[in-house]
Amino acid sequence: MEEHRPTVLVVGATGRVAGLVVPELARRGATVRALVRDERGRQKAIDNGAAEAVVADLRDPASLRRAAEGADGVFHIGPAFQPDEARMGCNLVAAAQEAGVRKFVFSSVIQPTHGTLANHASKVPVETALFESELEYTLLHPANFFQNLRGAWPGIVRDGVFAEPYPVDTRIARVDYRDVAEVAAIALTEDRLAYGSFELCAPGRFIRREIVAMAGEVLGRPVAAREIDFDDWVELTRPPYDARQLLLLSKVHAHYATHGLGGNALVLEAILGRPPRTLAQYIGELAAS
């Protein structure tokens, strides 16, 4: 008797972060159906390992219902700092339930109940919708992504400086999203993570001085740690956000400046059954590439 291959609808399958979920699902025998915004995204999703791609809009419930039809699971990550991020997530939860989907994995954020940060609080209505649904949900609460450092890496190599808009001694919990993607794939292809909410962090909460020491070691030359103004940081890194999104991001960095970001690696290691990837390993990969 042929083993059933679950079909999983993946939001963000063409993205630099959520796209990491696609190969993890394929490795576990799932058929990946990518949700893309337009026809241009189809081939990109297929090239990333998706078996098929459907065009749908997170603001259009009818299109989401069609996209979810026949799927066994859904992976969702909300678009960053969008004013209607919560509504889009709730639309997808409703569509998945109407389509008879069984599993729903939501890549939320660490400390989603931190109401003073809009990008954290926007996850709460989606989590609530899942609690009130008939879906077999799994909530992932990842820390700051290692992958966010990739944009700064060319400047570190070129100038020998790593600058961010909060103090150099701020401690931030981080995680490699490849490990988060593996947890998502486990949740969508097995049953052991059903109805769980999981904080996902790598070991250590490193200050920038420690990060530049790691970078200097793999580059073979000193790298300086600096703090810069938020506007100067935007000019340097050019994140793909509009003025409203940048304002929300500036509030996240202001929170980091005052409080840092806490997190614990115990849960991630328990789920993976191995030590999570470390920041030193990731920086080594950046240097090698």
Side-chain angles (χ1 to χ4, degrees), residues 8 18 23 39 49 61 75 79 126-127 129 137 173 193 195 198 211 227 268 283 287:
V8 178
E39 292 295 335
F75 171 83
V126 185
E127 296 195 7
Y137 59 81
L193 301 183
Y195 305 108
F198 304 107
I211 294 173
E227 178 182 0
L268 181 55
I283 289 173

Side-chain angles (χ1 to χ4, degrees), residues 56-66 88 91 95:
D57 188 335
L58 290 169
R59 297 183 173 94
D60 179 3
S63 72
L64 295 177
R65 174 68 169 75
R66 291 190 295 270
M88 287 189 280
N91 286 344

Side-chain angles (χ1 to χ4, degrees), residues 67-109:
E69 188 68 40
D72 300 281
V74 169
F75 171 83
H76 176 59
I77 185 170
F81 302 113
Q82 289 294 325
D84 56 346
E85 178 185 342
R87 173 47 50 194
M88 287 189 280
C90 291
N91 286 344
L92 186 57
V93 171
Q97 182 160 286
E98 291 168 8
V101 171
R102 177 185 168 209
K103 292 175 174 287
F104 194 111
V105 171
F106 177 36
S107 184
S108 181
V109 68

